[in-house]
Amino acid sequence: MGKYVVTNGQNIYDVALHVYGSIEGIVDLLMNNTGLSLSDDLQTGDELIYTDDFIINADVVAYNSLHGIVPSNGERLVYPKYFTLPLTVTFRLLPTLTSAGFTASGSGKIEIDWGDNSPVETITLSRSAFTYTHIFDNEIADTRVIRWYSDASFVLADWSNLQASSIRLLRPFRVEEFVLRDRAIPIDFFCLTEGMYEADLHSLTASDLSPLISCRDLMRLNLTDAKLKSSVVDDYLLQLVAVYGLRRNCEVILSVRPGGEYREPERDENGRYRVRYGMEAIWVIVHEPAWNEGGAWRFVIENELYTAEQ
């Protein structure tokens, strides 16, 4: 006799198709597993006995084996899904991921469609940070999409463990502390964040930092070990000087040294700075009295400090 271990999302018909090549194999399963019935919901890890070498359709069995197919249709009783809150953010994930999670605190609710066969998960945030983890109940061939419907205001949003390959905000997203570590991902979604005073982007890989320009409340930006080209950092710093406007002073931590030398840049015929390099932009920022009036800008580059307090 053989022993079959049920995998995620399988029903009795899936098992029969996998073992015998036909759902007619259910008869053999019921005979060998006397406590089993057609109405039973199988659970991942359940063990079923079957008759060795009893195959009804060898071609189907061979095809599934050759292509690595494990039938898994399960009970699809959760659609359609209904939501009471507006769609706020979508995350795209690689189909190979088996789980995802995030850490959050704040106020309000999130209604989550995990992009699988699970029902809508409703989370009510609190002031204490809590980590939420989800194991996907199906396998997919294409990109998995997680959707958040929310009216929440976040104190902390740590999206590192969602392992998203792209993030799209569909409406303004209020968050005070944001964490996204060890990800290679575009950060254009930052344009729709509000109230963010701290961003931890440790080990970020990105080709553009300009969306951070719109984050005028930012007081700490951690780009430690970020995989960035010097030109990308230069572009961000030059834009920061060009459209400074009304914003808070900030501490910026970099492991990539911007281009140029730390010095006062040349001026044009009208007396305005002609900033060409990132290090010159830093000089201008920390030496502009109005920009450091409420608190000093600080740039920590390769553990070396540049600030108006020097």
Side-chain angles (χ1 to χ4, degrees):
M1 305 299 287
K3 182 183 293 185
Y4 187 92
V5 179
V6 176
T7 61
N8 202 11
Q10 284 191 310
N11 56 38
I12 190 172
Y13 301 97
D14 296 322
V15 175
L17 190 62
H18 198 201
V19 174
Y20 310 100
S22 171
I23 63 171
E24 295 174 4
I26 287 176
V27 176
D28 185 68
L29 286 174
L30 295 175
M31 291 177 60
N32 287 305
N33 301 272
T34 55
L36 184 66
S37 72
L38 291 176
S39 61
D40 286 349
D41 290 330
L42 301 182
Q43 304 297 318
T44 302
D46 285 351
E47 295 183 351
L48 301 178
I49 304 300
Y50 64 92
T51 302
D52 279 332
D53 300 323
F54 174 45
I55 297 176
I56 299 174
N57 191 328
D59 289 340
V60 172
V61 173
Y63 183 88
N64 288 341
S65 177
L66 179 63
H67 294 86
I69 297 174
V70 178
S72 178
N73 292 288
E75 297 293 334
R76 300 177 182 268
L77 303 177
V78 299
Y79 290 101
K81 298 181 181 181
Y82 297 101
F83 304 90
T84 63
L85 301 172
L87 179 60
T88 301
V89 56
T90 62
F91 307 90
R92 289 186 172 273
L93 282 64
L94 295 176
T96 53
L97 294 175
T98 58
S99 65
F102 64 95
T103 301
S105 65
S107 60
K109 292 184 178 181
I110 316 171
E111 296 172 340
I112 304 178
D113 177 357
W114 285 103
D116 59 8
N117 298 319
S118 63
V120 176
E121 180 176 3
T122 301
I123 292 173
T124 301
L125 297 177
S126 69
R127 297 294 294 183
S128 299
F130 191 81
T131 298
Y132 304 88
T133 302
H134 181 82
I135 298 175
F136 300 119
D137 68 2
N138 69 344
E139 296 180 356
I140 59 173
D142 204 352
T143 304
R144 190 184 300 277
V145 180
I146 298 174
R147 295 176 175 86
W148 281 17
Y149 298 76
S150 177
D151 63 358
S153 178
F154 291 80
V155 173
L156 169 68
D158 185 343
W159 291 349
S160 305
N161 288 332
L162 282 168
Q163 305 178 75
S165 55
S166 71
I167 298 171
R168 183 184 180 193
L169 288 178
L170 302 172
R171 60 195 302 267
F173 184 85
R174 187 158 191 84
V175 58
E176 295 178 10
E177 301 175 49
F178 181 81
V179 182
L180 187 64
R181 290 179 146 231
D182 301 305
R183 302 305 305 153
I185 189 171
I187 60 169
D188 49 348
F189 61 90
F190 271 107
C191 296
L192 276 176
T193 60
E194 295 181 345
M196 183 171 61
Y197 68 81
E198 181 171 351
D200 183 353
L201 304 179
H202 190 288
S203 298
L204 171 75
T205 300
S207 60
D208 184 15
L209 294 179
S210 62
L212 290 168
I213 298 296
S214 63
C215 302
R216 298 183 177 273
D217 294 319
L218 202 58
M219 297 188 70
R220 191 169 194 271
L221 173 60
N222 185 2
L223 289 166
T224 302
D225 293 332
K227 300 169 182 62
L228 304 167
K229 292 182 178 179
S230 179
S231 59
V232 171
V233 178
D234 279 5
D235 288 344
Y236 164 66
L237 294 169
L238 294 176
Q239 289 184 63
L240 186 60
V241 171
V243 294
Y244 188 88
L246 296 174
R247 67 178 68 237
R248 292 181 174 181
N249 59 292
C250 184
E251 179 183 62
V252 181
I253 303 174
L254 293 166
S255 297
V256 177
R257 186 174 182 82
E261 297 181 16
Y262 180 68
R263 65 183 182 186
E264 181 178 2
E266 298 176 356
R267 296 177 183 264
D268 62 19
E269 60 275 8
N270 297 313
R272 292 175 297 196
Y273 285 122
R274 186 181 294 155
V275 184
R276 297 179 298 169
Y277 302 104
M279 290 303 295
E280 291 181 352
I282 291 174
W283 190 97
V284 172
I285 292 170
V286 302
H287 284 83
E288 173 56 52
W291 296 352
N292 293 272
E293 198 171 58
W297 274 81
R298 292 164 53 89
F299 291 89
V300 181
I301 304 171
E302 298 176 330
N303 297 319
E304 187 173 354
L305 176 63
Y306 299 85
T307 179
E309 298 174 341
Q310 287 181 309

